[in-house]
Amino acid sequence: MVSSILAGIGRGLVGFLTRPIKGYAPAFPLDLDALSRVIQPGDVLLVEGNTRIAVAIKYLTQSTWSHAALCVGDRLGVREADGEPHVLVEATAEAGVTTAPLTKYRDMHVRLCRPVALTPADREAVIRFMVERIGYGYDVRNIVDLARYLLPTPPVPVRLRRRMLALGSGEPTRTICSTLIAQAFQSVRYPILPRVKHWDDDRRVKSAYGRAEVLHIRHHSLYTPRDFDISPYFAIVKPTIETGFDYKRFLWGEDRPVEPHPPAGTPQA
């Protein structure tokens, strides 16, 4: 009885928190054609997000990014009605671990992060890890934790923000977007953030919080979308640059010819 009540509360929270916020617009429109030509299997796609839960995640991580998906290429056999293939695997609160086409994020601000020097064999292992988990559930416990810190926006101390995203149930068949991708890369021992020395070896780490953070930062449940952006091992790939861009061809507003106004009293055609 209690578990069914909690499940119902969780579903209600999911519906509320995943509702789009009115008035969202990306800072710059996405060139979907360029993105589709540049993205490769193994790339991580970061998404700004336009929902209440996205606001919470962006606040707690102090970053632009609220969601992450992994590109696995056209191998899933799933297509939209118009034939567009699903090339992303992601974990969402609404559907759990699922697949998606690139057009899902046509109206979002996104960033493409590419693991540098990842071997072909390890890339396939990372992709296989993600594909094998399609159908897993989303960790609704994480939703409940985030909801407590959303309305109103809380004065959460910096030292606690990352922990707010790592309070999930810990069940192996339930996950959130960034932790699932972190697990996939950790399965082939590919780094996301730099290796941190044990605090016993660095006497400069004096505070109890500092020591705890050094010990916990590497666990996959503590990874957030922002970590792929700041990682020294992931390259930022910008499709508009990769597909060729010439600033000399830009037509600025002041360069456009201005139609002369006819003299006052001149009859109009």
Side-chain angles (χ1 to χ4, degrees):
M1 174 66 73
V2 175
S3 60
S4 62
I5 292 175
L6 291 176
I9 293 173
R11 286 192 296 270
L13 281 173
V14 168
F16 173 74
L17 293 175
T18 58
R19 197 172 302 151
I21 297 172
K22 293 181 180 179
Y24 168 84
F28 192 83
L30 172 65
D31 186 337
L32 191 63
D33 178 64
L35 176 63
S36 63
R37 284 189 283 154
V38 168
I39 195 169
Q40 298 177 4
D43 289 350
V44 177
L45 185 71
L46 304 182
V47 183
E48 183 176 35
N50 65 338
T51 62
R52 291 183 175 90
I53 190 173
V55 170
I57 294 173
K58 287 186 286 186
Y59 171 77
L60 292 171
T61 61
Q62 292 294 282
S63 77
T64 302
W65 315 112
S66 68
H67 182 64
L70 186 85
C71 177
V72 299
D74 186 6
R75 66 178 70 201
L76 298 170
V78 182
R79 295 181 178 272
E80 294 291 284
D82 62 2
E84 182 191 3
H86 285 209
V87 297
L88 301 175
V89 175
E90 60 183 1
T92 69
E94 308 96 307
V97 183
T98 187
T99 65
L102 281 179
T103 52
K104 178 178 180 179
Y105 298 114
R106 68 164 70 242
D107 298 321
M108 301 285 182
H109 180 36
V110 302
R111 171 159 290 172
L112 198 57
C113 303
R114 179 165 298 161
V116 176
L118 183 67
T119 68
D122 283 348
R123 179 178 292 104
E124 286 301 313
V126 168
I127 291 171
R128 184 168 60 251
F129 183 100
M130 295 290 290
V131 171
E132 288 174 351
R133 281 153 181 78
I134 294 174
Y136 277 26
Y138 191 89
D139 197 342
V140 178
R141 169 71 181 275
N142 185 262
I143 294 284
V144 175
D145 292 330
L146 285 173
R148 293 183 299 159
Y149 297 91
L150 182 59
L151 298 172
T153 301
V156 181
V158 172
R159 67 180 183 277
L160 297 178
R161 285 174 182 158
R162 188 179 292 268
R163 298 292 190 270
M164 296 305 101
L165 297 175
L167 295 177
S169 64
E171 295 181 25
T173 57
R174 294 184 179 276
T175 188
I176 62 175
C177 63
S178 52
T179 65
L180 179 65
I181 298 174
Q183 280 182 288
F185 281 102
Q186 286 187 345
S187 71
V188 297
R189 302 184 68 83
Y190 188 88
I192 300 170
L193 287 178
R195 181 179 179 85
V196 181
K197 295 167 62 177
H198 193 281
W199 69 270
D200 281 335
D201 299 327
D202 192 345
R203 297 303 175 185
R204 292 173 298 177
V205 183
K206 299 183 183 301
S207 70
Y209 163 69
R211 292 193 293 270
E213 188 70 3
V214 168
L215 292 173
H216 287 91
I217 191 70
R218 300 180 66 196
H219 191 270
H220 63 78
S221 71
L222 290 168
Y223 281 100
T224 68
R226 171 180 180 264
D227 294 328
F228 296 96
D229 187 8
I230 66 175
S231 171
Y233 309 114
F234 282 75
I236 304 304
V237 180
K238 299 194 174 183
T240 53
I241 296 176
E242 295 295 322
T243 55
F245 124 91
D246 180 2
Y247 75 94
K248 291 292 189 181
R249 299 179 63 184
F250 273 36
L251 183 62
W252 301 97
E254 61 269 23
D255 296 333
R256 293 175 181 170
V258 178
E259 293 293 334
H261 292 289
T266 302
Q268 302 294 314

